[in-house]
Amino acid sequence: MTLDIGEMLVAVLLDETPYQVKLIQDASTALEIVRTLTPQLVILDYLLPHMDGVACLDALRATKGLERVPAILMSASLPKQARERTDVLLVEKPFDLYQFVSLVTQVLEAE
């Protein structure tokens, strides 16, 4: 059985932290789910089906109550406009898994 990066991150975050984690595979579903679930942190890959991670983040932040939700955007090749944003933490792939877990913990404990 091969895990994709999202499944791997969820497994590690569930194992290494006390946080509840939900994996959502595409931007459209994420935008639907936030109608009933308010995340404390959003972790997005830049390459998502139907919408890139920056557009998804913008749509999430346009949702009442999510204007300031912290976000981590990850990718192997972020375009210039994504790298220039100051309202999101950027993680370039490949990354150290345990440094990533530490980053998630720092962001959530700062809230």
Side-chain angles (χ1 to χ4, degrees):
M1 172 194 241
T2 304
L3 295 178
D4 72 14
I5 190 167
E7 293 167 332
M8 180 182 64
L9 289 175
V10 166
V12 170
L13 288 170
L14 287 172
D15 190 49
E16 299 290 329
T17 72
Y19 307 117
Q20 295 179 14
V21 182
K22 182 152 185 75
L23 177 64
I24 303 168
Q25 296 288 356
D26 65 81
S28 302
T29 304
L31 295 173
E32 296 262 337
I33 287 176
V34 297
R35 292 180 186 170
T36 59
L37 176 71
T38 303
Q40 292 180 293
L41 171 66
V42 175
I43 302 170
L44 296 162
D45 197 318
Y46 179 74
L47 295 176
L48 293 172
H50 313 293
M51 180 186 305
D52 69 50
V54 171
C56 182
L57 178 60
D58 289 341
L60 287 169
R61 293 247 172 98
T63 303
K64 185 174 171 67
L66 299 180
E67 300 89 349
R68 299 197 189 286
V69 66
I72 297 172
L73 180 65
M74 65 178 79
S75 180
S77 57
L78 288 168
K80 183 178 179 184
Q81 79 270 14
R83 288 192 313 267
E84 292 175 345
R85 290 188 67 146
T86 59
D87 64 335
V88 63
L89 296 169
L90 304 174
V91 174
E92 299 243 8
K93 294 177 189 175
F95 54 84
D96 179 274
L97 192 54
Y98 291 98
Q99 285 180 342
F100 183 80
V101 171
S102 178
L103 175 63
V104 168
T105 301
Q106 289 171 0
V107 170
L108 289 171
E109 287 178 358
E111 288 301 302

